[in-house]
Amino acid sequence: MMKNELKKAAGWAALEYVMPGMIVGVGTGSTIAYFIDALASIKYQIAGTVSSSEVSSARLASYGIPILDLNKIKILSLYIDGADEINDKLQMIKGKGAALTREKIIAAVSDYFICVADESKKVNVLGHVPLPIEVIPMAQKYVERQLMQLGGLPQYRQNVITDNGNIILDVYHLDISDPTLLEKEINAVTGVVTVGLFANRGADMALIGTTEGVKIFTK
Ligand code: 5RP
């Protein structure tokens, strides 16, 4: 089965968890694009969405799905987003799409986080893909030096400016055997806006598209 079919199956499977009247947090990426397509089919039943990127906002708007300001919302019961990697504890690496900061904000606010992904994203130990970090541009070289002290090999992501006007460093060779600790350590580096490790606040459920159907994982 093609990877895109597995992403589509996972994206559509998330629709089952969207209840009438809900405000839904919407992530970013190709799997989420399928979720947005699915959401459009019930758009009159939901109260609206909160979007994690300009790209997702454009897709939501193309369907006429309302997008709300997170600051006007007290309760966000559900957040649906993809991942670049996810482990058994439902901790994730995210940020290939450079939307990690807004994604992390929505994840923090939401009561329940469902990760949708194809089976290639499921790993035992995080770190097969580089770890994306959003950085304030003037701090780039300082942050790079600090990341090297943590054992990483940072690489500047060419031609990418985030929705927040910052840069992305993709960090190779980090030991991510303790994701919660590493998330704290990288967060503590001045100039780092967000690290793409979602360990402290991981997902509550994962819907993984496999060749045998969509598998459900919970903590
Ligand atoms: C964007 C992300 C995405 O969720 C992640 O890159 C997954 O994307 P896709 O569904 O296209 O594989 O973190 O910042």
Side-chain angles (χ1 to χ4, degrees):
M1 230 168 156
M2 297 273 292
K3 200 186 264 191
N4 276 344
E5 288 174 51
L6 304 182
K7 289 180 181 214
K8 185 176 181 180
W12 276 84
L15 201 58
E16 199 176 313
Y17 300 88
V18 178
M19 300 301 152
M22 258 188 184
I23 297 170
V24 185
V26 176
T28 300
S30 53
T31 317
I32 285 304
Y34 290 119
F35 171 66
I36 295 173
D37 297 346
L39 201 58
S41 69
I42 57 159
K43 65 178 177 183
Y44 297 114
Q45 292 170 40
I46 60 170
T49 59
V50 173
S51 172
S52 63
S53 63
E54 301 302 328
V55 171
S56 287
S57 294
R59 198 173 187 95
L60 288 161
S62 75
Y63 283 118
I65 300 174
I67 302 163
L68 309 173
D69 177 350
L70 185 61
N71 287 317
K72 303 266 160 57
I73 291 163
K74 288 209 183 84
I75 293 169
L76 183 63
S77 3
L78 183 63
Y79 180 41
I80 314 283
D81 198 359
D84 301 315
E85 277 185 358
I86 182 162
N87 68 13
D88 287 341
K89 290 182 177 167
L90 307 190
Q91 299 169 315
M92 295 161 285
I93 287 182
K94 294 178 47 50
K96 201 174 172 191
L100 61 164
T101 297
R102 295 187 189 187
E103 291 174 345
K104 210 172 233 196
I105 294 167
I106 301 179
V109 175
S110 64
D111 293 332
Y112 203 77
F113 182 163
I114 301 179
C115 173
V116 287
D118 67 88
E119 60 191 350
S120 71
K121 308 291 182 63
K122 197 89 175 45
V123 296
N124 290 326
V125 179
L126 298 173
H128 301 273
V129 296
L131 178 63
I133 301 180
E134 180 165 351
V135 174
I136 301 281
M138 75 170 283
Q140 179 186 344
K141 293 296 163 192
Y142 170 71
V143 172
E144 283 180 3
R145 290 194 291 273
Q146 300 306 111
L147 290 167
M148 284 191 270
Q149 282 193 8
L150 289 172
L153 201 63
Q155 198 172 318
Y156 170 72
R157 197 183 291 183
Q158 298 286 339
N159 305 319
V160 171
I161 297 290
T162 69
D163 287 345
N164 315 303
N166 298 313
I167 59 162
I168 299 283
L169 297 177
D170 290 305
V171 191
Y172 293 79
H173 295 316
L174 284 167
D175 173 5
I176 317 187
S177 47
D178 188 343
T180 312
L181 177 65
L182 189 65
E183 182 178 9
K184 272 196 200 124
E185 284 176 339
I186 297 176
N187 268 336
V189 177
T190 303
V192 167
V193 178
T194 309
V195 52
L197 257 179
F198 285 56
N200 179 45
R201 202 286 180 251
D204 300 297
M205 178 189 278
L207 300 173
I208 305 294
T210 79
T211 44
E212 290 123 44
V214 177
K215 292 191 180 159
I216 301 172
F217 297 86
T218 48
K219 278 195 289 195

